[in-house]
Amino acid sequence: VQLQASGGGLVQAGGSLRLSCAASGRPYSSHVIGWFRQAPGKERECVAAIRWGSGRQYYADSVKGRFTIAKDSARSSVYLQMTSLKPEDTAIYYCAADTSPCGSSLSKWGQGTQVTVSS
């Protein structure tokens, strides 16, 4: 599955952004599309994931209640709505596919999209 992340930008703390992840083809129902982020000097972490078929969602504790992941089957896209953003959310955000939550075995890492939250 080829995925392309977009929608990043500069936002003030407390603000919102919506990231988009477009798939080159329709994902299978068994696929899980996840959003990951990597801040400078830190390891990449999974923040949210959604199973394409059931729509079941998974969230990291650090974003629970602030981020919402959703899919659009007609557009073969997954979105990450981010609210109440904090400076510590600053990172490059990537999307990836797997058959398990927060895996990335079915896609290659792209360039990601930069999210910068100013205090």
Side-chain angles (χ1 to χ4, degrees):
V1 180
Q2 289 186 329
L3 303 172
Q4 179 67 49
S6 63
L10 173 64
V11 64
Q12 289 187 334
S16 300
L17 273 178
R18 189 179 81 153
L19 305 183
S20 299
C21 176
S24 60
R26 183 182 176 88
Y28 293 131
S29 60
S30 60
H31 288 171
V32 180
I33 308 298
W35 279 100
F36 300 74
R37 67 186 181 187
Q38 187 167 22
K42 294 188 177 181
E43 292 187 356
R44 189 172 291 164
E45 64 168 335
C46 177
V47 298
I50 186 166
R51 188 169 294 279
W52 191 261
S54 66
R56 183 175 178 180
Q57 301 164 22
Y58 307 85
Y59 295 97
D61 288 342
S62 58
V63 307
K64 204 170 290 184
R66 299 188 299 121
F67 290 10
T68 302
I69 191 169
K71 67 180 179 78
D72 184 335
S73 298
R75 292 180 168 81
S76 294
S77 294
V78 172
Y79 304 101
L80 186 68
Q81 179 69 48
M82 306 184 295
T83 63
S84 301
L85 283 162
K86 306 174 181 179
E88 50 263 44
D89 294 318
T90 295
I92 299 175
Y93 283 71
Y94 306 85
C95 51
D98 200 284
T99 54
S100 298
C102 295
S104 60
S105 66
L106 299 179
S107 61
K108 295 181 180 180
W109 296 109
Q111 292 185 338
T113 186
Q114 175 72 49
V115 172
T116 303
V117 184
S118 63
S119 57

